Amino acid sequence: MTTSTAPGKIYLFGEHAVVYGEPAVPCAIDLRARVHATQRDDDRVRLSASDLSLDGFTIEYDGDQNARPDINVPENLVSAAVGYVNGAIHQARDLAGGSDTGLELTIESDIPLGAGLGSSAAVTVAAIDAVARELGATPDAETVAERAFQVEAAVQDGEASRADTFCSAMGGAVRVEGTDCRRLGEPDLPFVLGYDGGAGDTGQLVAGVRQLRETYDFADTTIGVIGDLVERGERALDDGDLDEIGRLMNFNHGLLVALGVSSRTLDDMVWAARDAGALGAKLTGAGGRGCIVALAEAADVATALEHTPVCERAFEASLTPDGLQQE
Ligand code: MEV
């Protein structure tokens, strides 16, 4: 058996705009997905998952993805999850020289699905690595990141950036602008996350922004403004200026609201965190439902979120330097 793990992430700045070539700065956080891969004697694939959203998920199929698990999770999330894992197996088999050996895969994840914390990227990165190694290949983290991006782009109908997958593979804070992906380092940033218990559909949300951008010039301008803001954010990160980082997170949230990807639950949690003294708060990831990230040391912020009716769970998270790893 081979086991690989990869972290989830939050976006400090730049989600959505990064799809159109603007820069973004995601940061890996200390919530991880773990994938165990074992070769089988036949050519079938059996996938089991135990995580916050897919507890008890077990599916056995012959690679055609026809089978569907009988669980209480929206169909689109299940299809996406199976799509990511299937794509990861395909990429890993390719890295291993085209093997068609059957596989037993078990996924364990601390990262809620579709909540803006990069669960699909973490599972895809860890799955490519675990399966490739189980089949005898030894890809480096950059290669796995690029293969994982190909999987995300296919599942999201070609509309994906390299941000989530590169961040998960490399760990730390990273900067992604088109094909230019760089690790920025490991700034000491205290985060509090609020989770509304829901999930956004990344493909749909990305398509919604694209439509807005095609309809209104000023939506395209908004995307450019997010890019400008990210450049300022990078300078604030370099200077260790947490107050400025917080202000820019607030600004970034406002622009994401304008692009139509926030929601009442996300906005309520953002305001609860700000009212409790967070330096800044914004939605993270595709939006719709899921998580907000607040820049805050104060335990008061987690407590305030816990008392916010729409918040199902609040927890502290910190940046992790550890990207893809083998166990
Ligand atoms: C989703 O986690 C982040 C988006 O920017 C999409 C992407 O970058 O692929 C919304």
Side-chain angles (χ1 to χ4, degrees), residues 9 11 14-20 24 84 115-121 149 152-153 156 159-165 176 202-203 205-206 209 256 261 283-287:
K9 58 105 227 328
Y11 271 88
E15 56 271 87
H16 282 288
V18 70
V19 174
Y20 305 99
Y84 288 118
L117 300 181
S119 59
S120 59
F149 162 68
E152 285 223 327
Q156 288 169 215
E159 297 198 298
S161 74
R162 286 175 166 75
D164 290 27
T165 41
V176 171
T202 301
L205 289 152
V206 169
V209 172
L256 290 165
V261 296
L283 71 82
T284 174

Side-chain angles (χ1 to χ4, degrees), residues 279-298:
L279 296 175
K282 62 184 279 295
L283 71 82
T284 174
R289 296 282 305 275
C291 284
I292 63 119
V293 55
L295 185 63
E297 307 226 43

Side-chain angles (χ1 to χ4, degrees), residues 144-215:
V144 174
E146 182 57 29
R147 296 292 187 131
F149 162 68
Q150 302 296 341
V151 174
E152 285 223 327
V155 176
Q156 288 169 215
D157 289 332
E159 297 198 298
S161 74
R162 286 175 166 75
D164 290 27
T165 41
F166 185 76
C167 185
S168 184
M170 305 310 290
V174 306
R175 179 190 198 274
V176 171
E177 182 174 6
T179 55
D180 178 22
C181 304
R182 284 186 274 138
R183 201 167 182 281
L184 292 178
E186 296 151 23
D188 188 11
L189 298 172
F191 298 124
V192 177
L193 306 181
Y195 175 40
D196 69 7
D201 181 325
T202 301
Q204 253 175 38
L205 289 152
V206 169
V209 172
R210 177 171 297 282
Q211 203 173 21
L212 208 62
R213 182 174 170 262
E214 282 164 4
T215 312

Side-chain angles (χ1 to χ4, degrees), residues 37 61 93 99 118 122 128 147 197 213 266:
Y61 61 106
R93 283 177 162 163
S99 157
I128 291 175
R147 296 292 187 131
R213 182 174 170 262
L266 296 175

